[in-house]
PDB file of all heavy atoms in Angstrom:
ATOM      1  N   LEU Z  52      -5.338  28.450  -8.992  1.00 85.00           N
ATOM      2  CA  LEU Z  52      -4.057  27.720  -8.739  1.00 85.00           C
ATOM      3  C   LEU Z  52      -3.584  27.992  -7.283  1.00 85.00           C
ATOM      4  O   LEU Z  52      -3.132  27.054  -6.622  1.00 85.00           O
ATOM      5  CB  LEU Z  52      -2.919  28.151  -9.717  1.00 85.00           C
ATOM      6  CG  LEU Z  52      -3.137  27.789 -11.144  1.00 85.00           C
ATOM      7  CD1 LEU Z  52      -2.051  28.356 -12.041  1.00 85.00           C
ATOM      8  CD2 LEU Z  52      -3.155  26.299 -11.277  1.00 85.00           C
ATOM      9  N   HIS Z  53      -3.730  29.270  -6.819  1.00 89.00           N
ATOM     10  CA  HIS Z  53      -3.350  29.534  -5.487  1.00 89.00           C
ATOM     11  C   HIS Z  53      -4.173  28.760  -4.415  1.00 89.00           C
ATOM     12  O   HIS Z  53      -3.676  28.213  -3.489  1.00 89.00           O
ATOM     13  CB  HIS Z  53      -3.466  30.987  -5.177  1.00 89.00           C
ATOM     14  CG  HIS Z  53      -3.195  31.491  -3.705  1.00 89.00           C
ATOM     15  ND1 HIS Z  53      -1.930  31.485  -3.281  1.00 89.00           N
ATOM     16  CD2 HIS Z  53      -4.073  31.715  -2.856  1.00 89.00           C
ATOM     17  CE1 HIS Z  53      -2.018  31.855  -1.900  1.00 89.00           C
ATOM     18  NE2 HIS Z  53      -3.307  32.055  -1.652  1.00 89.00           N
ATOM     19  N   SER Z  54      -5.504  28.632  -4.781  1.00 92.00           N
ATOM     20  CA  SER Z  54      -6.331  27.857  -3.875  1.00 92.00           C
ATOM     21  C   SER Z  54      -5.927  26.376  -3.740  1.00 92.00           C
ATOM     22  O   SER Z  54      -5.851  25.732  -2.666  1.00 92.00           O
ATOM     23  CB  SER Z  54      -7.797  27.940  -4.388  1.00 92.00           C
ATOM     24  OG  SER Z  54      -8.654  27.076  -3.632  1.00 92.00           O
ATOM     25  N   VAL Z  55      -5.563  25.763  -4.960  1.00 94.00           N
ATOM     26  CA  VAL Z  55      -5.189  24.393  -4.997  1.00 94.00           C
ATOM     27  C   VAL Z  55      -3.802  24.212  -4.240  1.00 94.00           C
ATOM     28  O   VAL Z  55      -3.568  23.279  -3.451  1.00 94.00           O
ATOM     29  CB  VAL Z  55      -5.066  23.903  -6.433  1.00 94.00           C
ATOM     30  CG1 VAL Z  55      -4.477  22.439  -6.453  1.00 94.00           C
ATOM     31  CG2 VAL Z  55      -6.427  23.907  -7.063  1.00 94.00           C
ATOM     32  N   ARG Z  56      -2.896  25.123  -4.541  1.00 94.00           N
ATOM     33  CA  ARG Z  56      -1.541  25.097  -3.842  1.00 94.00           C
ATOM     34  C   ARG Z  56      -1.762  25.188  -2.382  1.00 94.00           C
ATOM     35  O   ARG Z  56      -1.000  24.478  -1.570  1.00 94.00           O
ATOM     36  CB  ARG Z  56      -0.611  26.198  -4.408  1.00 94.00           C
ATOM     37  CG  ARG Z  56      -0.070  25.966  -5.799  1.00 94.00           C
ATOM     38  CD  ARG Z  56       1.086  26.808  -6.144  1.00 94.00           C
ATOM     39  NE  ARG Z  56       1.690  26.477  -7.407  1.00 94.00           N
ATOM     40  CZ  ARG Z  56       1.398  27.161  -8.484  1.00 94.00           C
ATOM     41  NH1 ARG Z  56       0.581  28.142  -8.403  1.00 94.00           N
ATOM     42  NH2 ARG Z  56       1.907  26.798  -9.659  1.00 94.00           N
ATOM     43  N   THR Z  57      -2.579  26.133  -1.885  1.00 95.00           N
ATOM     44  CA  THR Z  57      -2.815  26.190  -0.454  1.00 95.00           C
ATOM     45  C   THR Z  57      -3.347  24.892   0.127  1.00 95.00           C
ATOM     46  O   THR Z  57      -2.954  24.491   1.288  1.00 95.00           O
ATOM     47  CB  THR Z  57      -3.864  27.293  -0.210  1.00 95.00           C
ATOM     48  OG1 THR Z  57      -3.265  28.613  -0.701  1.00 95.00           O
ATOM     49  CG2 THR Z  57      -4.129  27.476   1.281  1.00 95.00           C
ATOM     50  N   ALA Z  58      -4.237  24.242  -0.565  1.00 96.00           N
ATOM     51  CA  ALA Z  58      -4.819  23.011  -0.097  1.00 96.00           C
ATOM     52  C   ALA Z  58      -3.672  21.933   0.063  1.00 96.00           C
ATOM     53  O   ALA Z  58      -3.656  21.199   0.936  1.00 96.00           O
ATOM     54  CB  ALA Z  58      -5.937  22.504  -1.072  1.00 96.00           C
ATOM     55  N   ILE Z  59      -2.768  21.943  -0.941  1.00 97.00           N
ATOM     56  CA  ILE Z  59      -1.690  20.977  -0.932  1.00 97.00           C
ATOM     57  C   ILE Z  59      -0.785  21.292   0.215  1.00 97.00           C
ATOM     58  O   ILE Z  59      -0.374  20.457   0.958  1.00 97.00           O
ATOM     59  CB  ILE Z  59      -0.970  20.957  -2.155  1.00 97.00           C
ATOM     60  CG1 ILE Z  59      -1.868  20.421  -3.327  1.00 97.00           C
ATOM     61  CG2 ILE Z  59       0.360  20.053  -2.020  1.00 97.00           C
ATOM     62  CD1 ILE Z  59      -1.213  20.528  -4.718  1.00 97.00           C
ATOM     63  N   ASP Z  60      -0.442  22.583   0.455  1.00 96.00           N
ATOM     64  CA  ASP Z  60       0.477  22.940   1.499  1.00 96.00           C
ATOM     65  C   ASP Z  60      -0.091  22.737   2.931  1.00 96.00           C
ATOM     66  O   ASP Z  60       0.626  22.569   3.874  1.00 96.00           O
ATOM     67  CB  ASP Z  60       0.722  24.503   1.371  1.00 96.00           C
ATOM     68  CG  ASP Z  60       1.654  24.842   0.225  1.00 96.00           C
ATOM     69  OD1 ASP Z  60       2.296  23.939  -0.345  1.00 96.00           O
ATOM     70  OD2 ASP Z  60       1.745  25.970  -0.298  1.00 96.00           O
ATOM     71  N   ASP Z  61      -1.463  22.586   2.992  1.00 95.00           N
ATOM     72  CA  ASP Z  61      -2.061  22.298   4.315  1.00 95.00           C
ATOM     73  C   ASP Z  61      -1.951  20.809   4.649  1.00 95.00           C
ATOM     74  O   ASP Z  61      -2.330  20.524   5.857  1.00 95.00           O
ATOM     75  CB  ASP Z  61      -3.511  22.815   4.265  1.00 95.00           C
ATOM     76  CG  ASP Z  61      -3.721  24.277   4.316  1.00 95.00           C
ATOM     77  OD1 ASP Z  61      -2.760  24.950   4.689  1.00 95.00           O
ATOM     78  OD2 ASP Z  61      -4.837  24.751   4.016  1.00 95.00           O
ATOM     79  N   VAL Z  62      -1.634  20.002   3.751  1.00 95.00           N
ATOM     80  CA  VAL Z  62      -1.425  18.502   4.066  1.00 95.00           C
ATOM     81  C   VAL Z  62      -0.219  18.426   4.937  1.00 95.00           C
ATOM     82  O   VAL Z  62       0.849  19.060   4.736  1.00 95.00           O
ATOM     83  CB  VAL Z  62      -1.292  17.714   2.765  1.00 95.00           C
ATOM     84  CG1 VAL Z  62      -1.130  16.239   3.045  1.00 95.00           C
ATOM     85  CG2 VAL Z  62      -2.552  17.906   1.915  1.00 95.00           C
ATOM     86  N   ASN Z  63      -0.263  17.532   5.984  1.00 90.00           N
ATOM     87  CA  ASN Z  63       0.826  17.263   6.787  1.00 90.00           C
ATOM     88  C   ASN Z  63       2.092  16.968   6.028  1.00 90.00           C
ATOM     89  O   ASN Z  63       2.104  16.226   5.157  1.00 90.00           O
ATOM     90  CB  ASN Z  63       0.466  16.100   7.754  1.00 90.00           C
ATOM     91  CG  ASN Z  63      -0.479  16.495   8.892  1.00 90.00           C
ATOM     92  OD1 ASN Z  63      -0.999  17.526   8.874  1.00 90.00           O
ATOM     93  ND2 ASN Z  63      -0.639  15.592   9.803  1.00 90.00           N
ATOM     94  N   ALA Z  64       3.217  17.446   6.548  1.00 87.00           N
ATOM     95  CA  ALA Z  64       4.526  17.252   5.871  1.00 87.00           C
ATOM     96  C   ALA Z  64       4.839  15.767   5.745  1.00 87.00           C
ATOM     97  O   ALA Z  64       5.578  15.429   4.713  1.00 87.00           O
ATOM     98  CB  ALA Z  64       5.548  17.972   6.656  1.00 87.00           C
ATOM     99  N   GLY Z  65       4.488  14.923   6.615  1.00 82.00           N
ATOM    100  CA  GLY Z  65       4.927  13.538   6.535  1.00 82.00           C
ATOM    101  C   GLY Z  65       3.913  12.744   5.672  1.00 82.00           C
ATOM    102  O   GLY Z  65       4.174  11.470   5.504  1.00 82.00           O
TER     103      GLY Z  65
END
Side-chain angles (χ1 to χ4, degrees):
L52 291 174
H53 176 73
S54 176
V55 175
R56 285 197 178 98
T57 299
I59 294 172
D60 290 343
D61 285 343
V62 178
N63 284 7

